[in-house]
Amino acid sequence: MLKLFIRRLSAGKMTLFTQCLNPITGTATWEEKDQDYDYHQEVARSAFADMLHDHERNYKYNVALEAAIKKKHQAGEEANVLDIGTGTGLLSMMAAKCGADSITACEAFSPMAMCAVTIIKENGFANKIKLIHKRSTEMTVGEGGDMAKKANILVTEVFDTELIGEGALSTFRHAHETLLEKGSIIIPNSGTMWAQVVESKSVSAWNRIESISDTRTQNTLINAPLCIKSCSGAAAVHDIQLSRLPRDEFKPLISPQPIFRFDWSGTTPLQFNEKVCLNILPIDSGIAHAIFLWWDLDMDTEGKVILSCAPVWEHPETKNSKHNNINLNELADNIPWRDHWMQSIYYLPSEVQINVNNKFNLVGYHDEYCFWFDIKNDPILDIPNCDRPVCTCITHIAYCRTRIGQLNDKERNIKYIKALSKKIHPNSVCLCLSDGCLLGLAAAQLGAKKIYVLETNILSRRTIEMFIKTNNLEEKVEIVTKDDLPPVIKVDLIFGEPYFISSIVPWENLRFWYLASQYSSIQRIPIAATIKAVAVEFRDLYKIRAPLGVCEGFDLSSFDKLVQESSDKSDSPIDAQPLWEYPARALTLPFTINTFDLSSNVHNHKSIQISDNVPILQNGSCNGVALWVEWQLDPEISISCGPTEEIVPGERISWDRFTRQGVHIFRNIKDVSCTDKLSWSFSFVPKNGSIEFKFKVNTPKKNKNG
């Protein structure tokens, strides 16, 4: 999105005009926003309601606080609590309720700090809790300082999926050096990172682009460049709900290993840079494709209260249960759901063969914020340091992991190749309108005379250039930009997946239609696009938008008001989510919202305004609507960006793993029955590419005698 801002004073009110790129039309537009639009965006992005919905997290913090305060009192000491990064003030209010003698809370984010002051006052703790609007590393202690004296209990939650990614190491180190007495109790007391080496072609498909083959002839159509095959991938962690990965799609090569331990208590110094080498005997042979990582926290000093982020097969609640593909989802339902702390995948610099009879070295590294790993088969006593891996092939910067997985989706590629094969002949001249479209290059190998490939993104362009060179297609394939598209007389087939880097929700790939409409009376693939939807009961995903109300006995409605007002002013009502990670039960049959004839000229269409009702077929909690697009390649072949199996009301939906679906989450969640209906409306303005959806649950009104 292009961020340009102009402020104008009109009728005594400052107005903000934001220029952004419309992903469907490809044109820049100006939108009038609230003068505090920037502020509202920042507040909405800070929303962490799903974390506060995490009852286990809240409960175990409370148990640890209660034990720490009791321990100090039994030792004849005051319990002086410091809460770093207080957010809503929840942990500070817990400390007050547990009998702490003094509580100092700090919060650097201004809107949240002001909200915490309100919440603390509304819950009757204004005289017990002192809130400092600063980072903890800026706080002072002593006469006239932020704290009159040092605290002897620290409670904080400064963790992310990587545990240390939010600066936990520097936060704890500074607190021990400046803000805490010696012998202070720290909550949590320590953290442990667990690693498990796995073989998984499914997981590897998110990291390295493989060759594309024609399964009908078993011929390789497109080879991946060596620099992509040998690249270690993106440096950023791949955070994922590992519990939803089918168990038969990966093979553990080792038992989970505790590879890093962080002592938050201050007993041992925290290291900002560390290397650990584990010499391990595998439990199975195979190719080491990746490392699964997760962490747990010892909340108390005795190690009795453990907060675990382990995936289902290693979680304390389910570890001793029998694992099979039938009950894995059921087991996963029994462990706490967390979108704020997921598991993570780390890809190795190169794939390594592991033999069950031979030990190998798993080497882990971390700096102040990140982890990375390597595997060495050789019995090296002094293993040299390995720099943090970064992408050297550009591809991992150009494309997200979902897109890389999509490029490797064999079933999807088979359908496109079959559709292309019907249209390609020796004199074919094809125009490919998609970003990073390897299937467009495959058309050249299928016999087309000439392929023009539109590439507007510089990184994607450089990637496609590498593929062209590797496959010796320089004479057949020409990369063009929007300004130098070939004339109509030179093209007889327009092809697209469609996929565009700027697209977020699936229907934004209708950009293909706008580009193709510059050409008339030319065959196209795909020929149609259908937006479909289904009303669902999300098991957990709704919590990212659900209000808190009363949380663990404390009224947090002021937080709800702050976040929801800002979200209404800055967020789109439709979000994009990888729904395969988030279980949902269908409450209706899938329904069609609109079908677009992509063989026509989009500019000849009038605006669309339609609405309808869909019957609810299952009792449940209607907390969302899932949306996707089905692309009709030709009369016989279609590609779905949504369900991979038929949707049955009352049953869980199986979703495509290589696209993100659109999601509308209801703020006001209703329990529904088979007498209710989902009403929806849809508008589309071809001139400016504006698409809008509205959804509402309608419950029949009961008569006075009903």
Side-chain angles (χ1 to χ4, degrees):
M1 179 178 288
L2 177 64
K3 297 180 179 178
L4 287 176
F5 305 98
I6 295 178
R7 298 184 186 273
R8 184 179 71 185
L9 187 63
S10 176
K13 182 180 179 182
M14 188 69 73
T15 300
L16 176 67
F17 286 88
T18 304
Q19 188 185 46
C20 58
L21 181 69
N22 184 311
I24 296 179
T25 64
T27 58
T29 58
W30 289 94
E31 296 180 2
E32 185 175 359
K33 301 289 186 181
D34 184 279
Q35 64 174 338
D36 297 320
Y37 175 72
D38 297 348
Y39 162 85
H40 291 301
Q41 268 204 322
E42 192 174 6
V43 171
R45 295 289 71 75
S46 73
F48 45 84
D50 64 297
M51 180 170 66
L52 295 170
H53 278 293
D54 185 347
H55 173 71
E56 186 198 32
R57 164 197 175 271
N58 300 338
Y59 170 75
K60 290 186 174 178
Y61 264 99
N62 190 72
V63 168
L65 269 167
E66 189 174 24
I69 291 168
K70 183 178 179 180
K71 189 172 184 178
K72 287 297 181 185
H73 285 165
Q74 287 177 340
E77 302 177 48
E78 287 187 347
N80 299 313
V81 176
L82 171 61
D83 175 8
I84 293 179
T86 193
T88 61
L90 178 64
L91 299 182
S92 287
M93 292 189 293
M94 285 181 176
K97 199 170 182 179
C98 289
D101 296 283
S102 73
I103 304 151
T104 303
C106 71
E107 175 58 53
F109 184 46
S110 297
M112 197 57 62
M114 291 185 287
C115 181
V117 169
T118 301
I119 289 172
I120 289 167
K121 182 178 179 180
E122 289 173 344
N123 284 274
F125 297 108
N127 294 329
K128 288 284 292 180
I129 301 169
K130 178 182 179 182
L131 193 138
I132 307 298
H133 179 199
K134 285 183 180 179
R135 295 181 182 276
S136 65
T137 52
E138 298 170 349
M139 290 177 63
T140 57
V141 179
E143 187 176 349
D146 299 313
M147 299 168 61
K149 59 182 178 180
K150 293 183 177 182
N152 59 9
I153 298 174
L154 170 64
V155 62
T156 186
E157 197 280 89
V158 287
F159 311 113
D160 65 353
T161 292
E162 282 195 282
L163 186 65
I164 60 174
E166 291 185 0
L169 293 175
S170 58
T171 297
F172 280 106
R173 179 187 282 188
H174 176 268
H176 282 293
E177 291 174 348
T178 309
L179 307 175
L180 300 172
E181 295 178 358
K182 287 185 178 180
S184 292
I185 298 175
I186 312 301
I187 305 170
N189 185 68
S190 64
T192 302
M193 302 297 305
W194 294 84
Q196 186 169 34
V197 180
V198 300
E199 175 183 82
S200 174
K201 291 196 177 221
S202 296
V203 168
S204 179
W206 279 309
N207 188 51
R208 289 187 176 93
I209 299 176
E210 303 293 335
S211 299
I212 296 177
S213 299
D214 186 347
T215 56
R216 301 167 307 164
T217 62
Q218 302 304 315
N219 291 331
T220 299
L221 296 178
I222 298 296
N223 281 305
L226 180 60
C227 65
I228 293 178
K229 292 180 179 179
S230 60
C231 181
S232 59
V237 62
H238 185 181
D239 52 346
I240 190 172
Q241 298 282 0
L242 273 181
S243 293
R244 299 301 169 181
L245 186 67
R247 185 62 181 80
D248 59 357
E249 292 196 15
F250 66 92
K251 179 172 69 173
L253 300 180
I254 65 170
S255 300
Q257 303 291 315
I259 190 163
F260 289 109
R261 187 176 186 275
F262 299 96
D263 184 357
W264 311 127
S265 72
T267 305
T268 56
L270 290 168
Q271 302 296 319
F272 281 16
N273 292 278
E274 191 174 4
K275 178 177 73 174
V276 171
C277 180
L278 302 180
N279 191 240
I280 306 169
L281 183 66
I283 59 174
D284 207 341
S285 298
I287 298 174
H289 286 124
I291 295 170
F292 293 166
L293 207 75
W294 63 88
W295 50 261
D296 58 35
L297 296 172
D298 286 327
M299 301 301 295
D300 60 338
T301 55
E302 287 78 30
K304 295 179 180 178
V305 183
I306 308 295
L307 183 60
S308 175
C309 293
V312 59
W313 64 89
E314 286 297 330
H315 198 279
E317 298 293 327
T318 59
K319 189 174 180 180
N320 295 324
S321 302
K322 291 182 179 179
H323 300 156
N324 56 59
N325 291 328
I326 296 175
N327 65 18
L328 185 60
N329 279 330
E330 295 177 5
L331 288 171
D333 291 346
N334 294 328
I335 64 176
W337 177 80
R338 299 185 172 106
D339 211 42
H340 48 285
W341 298 332
M342 291 190 275
Q343 298 80 40
S344 50
I345 299 174
Y346 292 81
Y347 298 98
L348 296 161
S350 59
E351 297 174 354
V352 181
Q353 178 67 47
I354 300 297
N355 189 299
V356 70
N357 298 315
N358 299 325
K359 285 188 173 183
F360 70 93
N361 293 305
L362 172 61
V363 191
Y365 308 83
H366 77 80
D367 56 20
E368 189 174 350
Y369 302 101
C370 305
F371 297 93
W372 62 97
F373 299 88
D374 200 359
I375 285 178
K376 301 292 184 182
N377 267 323
D378 300 329
I380 304 172
L381 296 177
D382 185 19
I383 294 177
N385 289 334
C386 172
D387 292 333
R388 184 185 177 200
V390 295
C391 174
T392 55
C393 72
I394 305 171
T395 305
H396 300 92
I397 304 172
Y399 310 130
C400 65
R401 290 190 173 94
T402 300
R403 172 58 174 168
I404 292 174
Q406 188 180 70
L407 291 169
N408 288 324
D409 186 349
K410 292 183 179 180
E411 291 185 12
R412 179 178 179 275
N413 289 342
I414 288 170
K415 289 186 176 183
Y416 276 107
I417 291 168
K418 186 176 180 180
L420 276 167
S421 297
K422 294 179 183 181
K423 299 294 184 182
I424 296 293
H425 54 78
N427 292 320
S428 292
V429 176
C430 180
L431 172 60
C432 180
L433 302 176
S434 282
D435 288 339
C437 185
L438 301 182
L439 291 163
L441 304 187
Q445 303 287 44
L446 290 171
K449 178 181 178 181
K450 183 75 174 181
I451 307 292
Y452 293 99
V453 179
L454 175 67
E455 283 292 346
T456 57
N457 180 283
I458 184 62
L459 295 177
S460 181
R461 182 187 182 106
R462 289 173 64 183
T463 298
I464 293 300
E465 286 172 346
M466 289 191 296
F467 274 92
I468 291 172
K469 185 175 181 180
T470 297
N471 292 277
N472 301 312
L473 295 174
E474 293 93 333
E475 293 185 5
K476 274 195 169 187
V477 180
E478 180 180 339
I479 296 179
V480 296
T481 64
K482 184 182 176 184
D483 297 327
D484 62 357
L485 287 172
V488 175
I489 58 172
K490 286 190 175 183
V491 177
D492 53 32
L493 176 64
I494 296 175
F495 169 75
E497 298 187 40
Y499 168 83
F500 296 92
I501 291 172
S502 59
S503 299
I504 298 175
V505 287
W507 47 90
E508 288 178 350
N509 288 313
L510 286 171
R511 172 79 179 126
F512 169 82
W513 193 15
Y514 281 80
L515 289 167
S517 291
Q518 298 178 54
Y519 298 83
S520 59
S521 303
I522 295 177
Q523 296 183 93
R524 298 176 188 175
I525 300 175
I527 58 174
T530 301
I531 300 178
K532 306 197 79 170
V534 62
V536 299
E537 178 184 73
F538 285 116
R539 178 175 175 81
D540 297 297
L541 184 61
Y542 73 94
K543 295 173 186 174
I544 64 175
R545 293 281 181 95
L548 290 160
V550 175
C551 176
E552 311 301 336
F554 302 101
D555 183 1
L556 301 187
S557 55
S558 288
F559 170 75
D560 293 335
K561 183 178 179 182
L562 170 72
V563 172
Q564 291 187 14
E565 282 184 356
S566 290
S567 179
D568 289 342
K569 292 178 180 179
S570 64
D571 287 345
S572 167
I574 307 289
D575 195 10
Q577 296 286 350
L579 289 184
W580 74 272
E581 296 184 52
Y582 303 105
R585 188 170 66 97
L587 300 180
T588 67
L589 286 169
F591 55 94
T592 295
I593 289 181
N594 195 64
T595 297
F596 304 93
D597 178 6
L598 303 185
S599 64
S600 64
N601 189 322
V602 64
H603 303 294
N604 293 337
H605 287 258
K606 295 181 180 179
S607 296
I608 298 172
Q609 181 70 53
I610 53 177
S611 60
D612 203 350
N613 292 293
V614 178
I616 302 288
L617 301 179
Q618 285 288 321
N619 296 347
S621 178
C622 188
N623 51 35
V625 177
L627 302 100
W628 66 95
V629 174
E630 290 185 0
W631 304 94
Q632 197 71 36
L633 306 187
D634 63 25
E636 290 83 33
I637 303 173
S638 65
I639 295 287
S640 175
C641 299
T644 57
E645 299 173 3
E646 181 182 357
I647 290 180
V648 178
E651 296 185 9
R652 283 189 176 176
I653 305 171
S654 176
W655 298 100
D656 175 45
R657 289 217 301 262
F658 305 119
T659 52
R660 290 174 179 257
Q661 293 72 38
V663 178
H664 173 86
I665 294 179
F666 290 111
R667 290 259 171 82
N668 298 315
I669 299 169
K670 290 186 177 180
D671 289 332
V672 294
S673 65
C674 295
T675 60
D676 300 330
K677 292 182 183 243
L678 174 77
S679 66
W680 60 267
S681 66
F682 170 76
S683 66
F684 171 55
V685 182
K687 183 178 179 180
N688 58 22
S690 170
I691 287 181
E692 184 177 353
F693 303 87
K694 290 184 180 178
F695 299 97
K696 183 181 179 182
V697 175
N698 289 327
T699 303
K701 293 182 180 179
K702 294 182 179 180
N703 59 44
K704 293 182 180 179
N705 299 321

